[in-house]
């Protein structure tokens, strides 16, 4: 196994650790963290299947077309729970359903199953960046601080992971089809090494977030 | 030709990715710094609020202590003096009317009452200036 392959496979290690940890503490999780755990299960399941297909030299691009709307749906639900009454819940619900519809339409009519769904990924990343920035502002709000939101530190870590990953990966998504199909085999893996690094950072933030949750209820 | 163009794009893309990542981490660190500052500000605000409340309480107690002292002195100096003079006059009247038993007995009762009033007044005055109050007002 060469170095690039090792790095790409290593990026799935935090996913497995997070999956196991989330499964262990699942019963103790409450509120938004419980919703977040659904994202972890979905994301980990798709990524592990994707890794297995990659190892078997089977094209795993169709999985991305399921992964993108699924992840956005889970994260929109998570943000809806975190932000509570600060944002009209209908806005997030409509956005997530519209995004799912857009993603499906994109797969059916624009970017087929065997092409990277870069448009959907870019839109997803932009929406999640906006949501995460809004959540940062929400956490800095005087009312929220005075009221004392439970597990705020955990949500701040999770939100940071989402923000760093999606902002850093935005350019990779935008140029994904060029980098996958255009460049030579030797060079086209480099953006994905960066992507793996960003993914590791994100899952580490998630792990810290879940670890730092209020353990009074456990 | 297409592969060369794509390779060139990736060569530009990689440093851009590093820059964007640093910016993203910077934003998160800035957020954490803000949050820390806000927390410190909240703590400082609470501390100032507590100090202000303690000052108010202390000032309130000092005012109460001053008022108690004033009342005690007024009682002792004015009412006490008046009662003492009254008692003295009754005693003089008692001496002058010692041969009339009915008046003497009435004056004796009056003297006893004035002495009781004087004693009660001294007790109240003393309690108003009790050392425990002084300790509290420190």
């Amino acid at each position: 196994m060469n170095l690039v392959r090792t790095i790409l496979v290593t990026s799935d290690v935090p996913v497995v650790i997070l999956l196991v940890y989330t499964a262990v503490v699942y019963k103790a999780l409450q509120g938004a963290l419980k919703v977040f755990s659904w994202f972890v299960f979905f994301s980990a399941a798709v990524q592990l299947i994707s890794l297995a297909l990659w190892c078997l030299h089977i094209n795993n691009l169709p999985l991305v077309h399921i992964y993108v709307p699924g992840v956005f749906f889970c994260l929109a639900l998570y943000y809806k729970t975190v932000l509570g009454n600060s944002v009209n819940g209908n806005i997030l619900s409509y956005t997530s359903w519209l995004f799912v519809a857009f993603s499906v339409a994109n797969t059916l009519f624009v970017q087929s199953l065997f092409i990277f769904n870069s448009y959907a990924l870019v839109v997803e990343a932009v929406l999640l960046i906006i949501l995460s920035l809004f959540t940062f502002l929400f956490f800095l709000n005087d009312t929220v601080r005075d009221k004392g939101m439970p597990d705020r530190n955990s949500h701040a870590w999770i939100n940071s992971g989402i923000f760093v990953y999606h902002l850093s990966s935005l350019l990779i998504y935008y140029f994904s089809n060029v980098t996958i199909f255009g460049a030579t085999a030797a060079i086209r893996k480099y953006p994905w090494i960066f992507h793996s690094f960003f993914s590791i950072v994100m899952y580490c933030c998630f792990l810290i977030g879940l670890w730092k949750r209020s353990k009074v209820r456990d | 030709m297409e592969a060369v163009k794509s390779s060139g794009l990736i060569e530009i893309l990689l440093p851009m990715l590093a820059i964007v990542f640093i910016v993203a981490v910077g934003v998160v660190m800035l957020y954490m710094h803000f949050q820390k500052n806000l927390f410190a500000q909240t703590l400082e605000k609470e501390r100032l609020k507590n100090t202000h409340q303690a000052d108010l309480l202390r000032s309130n107690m000092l005012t109460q202590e001053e008022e108690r002292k004033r009342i005690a002195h007024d009682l002792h100096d004015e009412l006490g003096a008046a009662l003492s003079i009254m008692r003295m006059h009754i005693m003089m009247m008692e001496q002058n009317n010692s041969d009339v038993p009915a008046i003497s007995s009435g004056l004796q009762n009056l003297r006893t009452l004035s002495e009781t009033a004087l004693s009660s007044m001294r007790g109240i005055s003393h309690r108003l200036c009790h050392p425990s109050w002084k300790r509290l007002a420190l």
Side-chain angles (χ1 to χ4, degrees):
Chain A
M1 194 183 273
N2 62 29
L3 184 67
V4 174
R5 210 176 157 86
T6 311
I7 292 168
L8 292 175
V9 173
T10 310
S11 72
D12 283 314
V13 173
V15 181
V16 176
I17 296 170
L18 183 70
L19 175 69
V20 172
Y21 183 69
T22 311
V24 169
V25 297
Y26 180 74
K27 278 187 179 173
L29 299 177
Q30 281 186 346
L33 287 179
K34 191 108 180 170
V35 177
F36 180 73
S37 68
W38 303 338
F39 157 77
V40 172
F41 293 139
F42 175 75
S43 170
V46 173
Q47 289 205 42
L48 293 177
I49 295 167
S50 161
L51 180 70
L53 292 175
W54 185 64
C55 291
L56 295 167
H57 300 285
I58 299 169
N59 191 344
N60 58 11
L61 270 175
L63 273 180
V64 185
H65 292 259
I66 301 164
Y67 179 76
V68 174
V71 161
F72 186 78
F73 195 82
C74 291
L75 287 179
L77 198 62
Y78 164 70
Y79 277 116
K80 193 179 160 184
T81 322
V82 169
L83 298 172
N85 295 328
S86 303
V87 161
N88 187 347
N90 288 335
I91 295 175
L92 285 174
S93 300
Y94 291 145
T95 311
S96 53
W97 283 113
L98 271 174
F99 180 76
V100 171
F102 164 74
S103 189
V104 171
N106 181 55
T107 304
L108 292 175
F109 307 113
V110 187
Q111 293 176 312
S112 75
L113 277 174
F114 297 99
I115 295 175
F116 213 81
N117 55 346
S118 58
Y119 299 147
L121 269 167
V122 169
V123 173
E124 183 207 28
V126 170
L127 288 172
L128 287 175
I129 289 165
I130 293 167
L131 274 174
S132 54
L133 282 173
F134 184 81
T135 309
F136 279 138
L137 285 176
F138 171 76
F139 286 151
L140 290 175
N141 190 295
D142 283 346
T143 325
V144 179
R145 280 189 301 116
D146 293 345
K147 226 164 61 179
M149 185 187 175
D151 298 319
R152 197 181 64 163
N153 208 13
S154 292
H155 297 307
W157 273 102
I158 291 167
N159 192 49
S160 301
I162 292 169
F163 176 74
V164 170
Y165 172 77
H166 286 94
L167 186 61
S168 309
S169 305
L170 190 62
L171 286 173
I172 300 176
Y173 295 154
Y174 189 76
F175 294 109
S176 53
N177 280 321
V178 181
T179 55
I180 285 179
F181 299 109
T184 55
I187 206 162
R188 72 179 173 211
K189 279 175 185 162
Y190 290 117
W192 298 103
I193 292 172
F194 272 77
H195 179 264
S196 298
F197 171 68
F198 302 148
S199 172
I200 290 169
V201 171
M202 178 174 74
Y203 280 98
C204 287
C205 286
F206 290 168
L207 206 56
I208 296 169
L210 283 179
W211 183 260
K212 279 185 172 251
R213 77 191 187 284
S214 163
K215 288 171 182 156
V216 180
R217 297 181 298 262
D218 291 18
Chain B
M1 186 65 186
E2 189 65 32
V4 173
K5 257 172 80 176
S6 295
S7 301
L9 177 72
I10 289 172
E11 278 167 18
I12 298 165
L13 187 65
L14 296 182
M16 287 295 288
L17 289 178
I19 291 165
V20 173
F21 176 72
I22 291 164
V23 170
V25 172
V27 170
V28 170
M29 285 174 81
L30 206 64
Y31 159 75
M32 284 176 172
H33 179 71
F34 274 145
Q35 203 180 31
K36 209 172 144 187
N37 273 4
L38 282 171
F39 184 65
Q41 271 178 18
T42 312
L43 280 183
E44 181 63 18
K45 221 160 78 180
E46 282 298 313
R47 195 187 63 78
L48 283 173
K49 206 168 125 185
N50 287 342
T51 313
H52 178 66
Q53 273 179 350
D55 285 348
L56 272 177
L57 188 69
R58 185 189 160 88
S59 148
N60 197 16
M61 287 187 80
L62 276 172
T63 313
Q64 275 184 16
E65 176 64 18
E66 288 298 315
E67 192 62 15
R68 259 199 312 271
K69 265 187 198 166
R70 193 187 61 74
I71 293 168
H73 284 142
D74 285 358
L75 272 176
H76 189 266
D77 297 349
E78 290 175 26
L79 195 64
L83 282 171
S84 292
I85 292 165
M86 196 172 84
R87 183 174 157 270
M88 218 164 68
H89 279 282
I90 293 167
M91 278 170 78
M92 279 167 72
M93 284 167 78
E94 233 183 306
Q95 275 173 7
N96 293 339
N97 296 289
S98 57
D99 49 341
V100 188
I103 297 172
S104 179
S105 160
L107 286 171
Q108 201 178 358
N109 281 342
L110 272 176
R111 187 169 51 84
T112 313
L113 272 172
S114 72
E115 278 168 359
T116 311
L118 201 61
S119 168
S120 296
M121 185 276 304
R122 277 184 190 140
I124 292 167
S125 174
H126 179 72
R127 280 196 297 275
L128 278 170
C129 277
H130 198 268
S132 63
W133 290 113
K134 284 177 188 166
R135 268 206 310 277
L136 277 173
L138 274 172

